[in-house]
DNA sequence: CTAACATTGTTCGCATTAGGACTAATTTGC
DNA sequence: GCAAATTAGTCCTAATGCGAACAATGTTAG
């Protein structure tokens, strides 16, 4: 029946991602942010701001979700919205001063936390893992793209 | 500043998982199920049922979430709850007849869908990916376990 | 130029999602 | 045996998360 040779691999992908997520997000939450909020603050750090579209692409957060997350960050005075001077449809999001301070504090702390788990991996190991993941991602992207084009 | 060599790898892990999730879940939703609901139906298929605890471990869904997901599946007559004869705290969840039929239909269709993306990978490639993922997962599990013990 | 088309962000409905408080039941330590 | 610590599920709150519908703006084909 289920002699699908790729099922164990998919299972391992889900478990691996979940292990990363659990390790990372527990720390993020202990710093008073949700994983999504951290993603946004970390992405906006050291930038002049960017549109919702770009922010969504970088953080993998859907636009519908992004509106709500930015709403809550804005209510905490951590980010600011401003109209784009170039495109009347577009909004620019950037860190407010309190967001800059939070970024400095939290991003550094999180790097230390992640280094505790991953510091033992050398450049060659990291490159090998990254290469394997990219290959697998492209396998999905390829079929997804093919179907999108074929519609 | 951010000369953390593992950041690109983590970025790729997130993108890879997201690509898989997007590809898989779009199909699942087209079949009328959410990803979580599919996970549960697929896990329960061809089994005599299992406890919430076991079901949660297999699907990586936390207990608080599981209650709600099972509630909705039960409302659709796809699964049934019954008290465990062995442990008075425990509930057994198993597929109802409609759930069995759904399982047959949907599980097979989803395998076909996944095979379209992954059918081109041979056993050696799959083993290599799986091995890489397991190594990375154990890196996170190791530190997580160590800290849990140290508390 | 202008009507069709596409894109940007918001809103809505519905379903997770994690985590913590809570109840009931079981296991453990002494 | 029995009080204390654990464990299994449920309920609650706050925050995602996705797809679809929407209004406002921009782009393009004729």
């Amino acid at each position: 029946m289920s002699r699908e040779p790729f099922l164990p691999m998919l299972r391992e992908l889900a478990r691996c991602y979940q292990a990363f997520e659990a390790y990372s997000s527990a720390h993020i939450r202990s710093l008073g942010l949700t994983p999504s909020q951290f993603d946004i603050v970390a992405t906006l750090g050291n930038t002049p701001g960017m549109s919702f579209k770009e922010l969504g692409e970088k953080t993998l957060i859907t636009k519908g979700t992004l509106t709500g997350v930015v709403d809550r960050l804005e209510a905490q005075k951590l980010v600011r919205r401003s109209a784009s001077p170039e495109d009347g449809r577009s909004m620019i999001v950037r860190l407010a001063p309190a967001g800059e301070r939070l970024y400095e504090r939290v991003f550094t702390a999180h790097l230390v936390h992640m280094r505790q788990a991953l510091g033992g991996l050398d450049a060659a190991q990291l490159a090998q893992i990254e290469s394997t993941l990219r290959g697998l991602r492209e396998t999905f992207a390829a079929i997804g793209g093919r179907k999108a084009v074929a519609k």
Side-chain angles (χ1 to χ4, degrees), chain A:
Chain A
M1 245 335 90
S2 80
R3 72 177 52 156
E4 290 299 342
F6 52 74
L7 286 180
M9 183 277 283
L10 289 179
R11 185 179 179 77
E12 195 56 56
L13 173 61
R15 291 194 177 274
C16 180
Y17 181 76
Q18 203 271 348
F20 155 67
E21 188 61 19
Y23 179 76
S24 173
S25 78
H27 181 242
I28 297 294
R29 288 177 193 278
S30 78
L31 296 171
L33 288 172
T34 66
S36 295
Q37 291 171 350
F38 175 81
D39 265 7
I40 290 177
V41 170
T43 302
L44 253 30
N46 292 327
T47 77
M50 62 188 77
S51 69
F52 271 77
K53 177 178 174 56
E54 191 178 352
L55 188 55
E57 285 168 354
K58 287 184 191 291
T59 59
L60 304 179
I61 297 175
T62 304
K63 59 182 182 178
T65 303
L66 201 49
T67 297
V69 180
V70 170
D71 281 350
R72 283 179 283 274
L73 287 173
E74 196 173 25
Q76 296 177 55
K77 313 282 192 195
L78 295 174
V79 305
R80 276 188 200 139
R81 274 177 171 92
S82 56
S84 167
E86 301 170 356
D87 191 326
R89 298 165 299 182
S90 194
M91 300 292 286
I92 303 297
V93 192
R94 67 184 173 112
L95 289 183
E100 307 263 19
R101 290 192 297 275
L102 183 69
Y103 168 75
E104 296 296 343
R105 185 168 65 80
V106 153
F107 189 68
T108 307
H110 194 57
L111 281 185
V112 169
H113 182 71
M114 294 310 294
R115 208 180 290 129
Q116 287 178 6
L118 299 174
L121 300 178
D122 62 34
Q125 289 172 306
L126 289 169
Q128 190 271 323
I129 298 171
E130 187 180 339
S131 163
T132 295
L133 289 169
R134 178 162 33 244
L136 183 56
R137 172 170 64 81
E138 285 169 354
T139 299
F140 287 113
I143 187 84
R146 213 176 304 159
K147 291 172 59 160
V149 168
K151 77 172 174 181

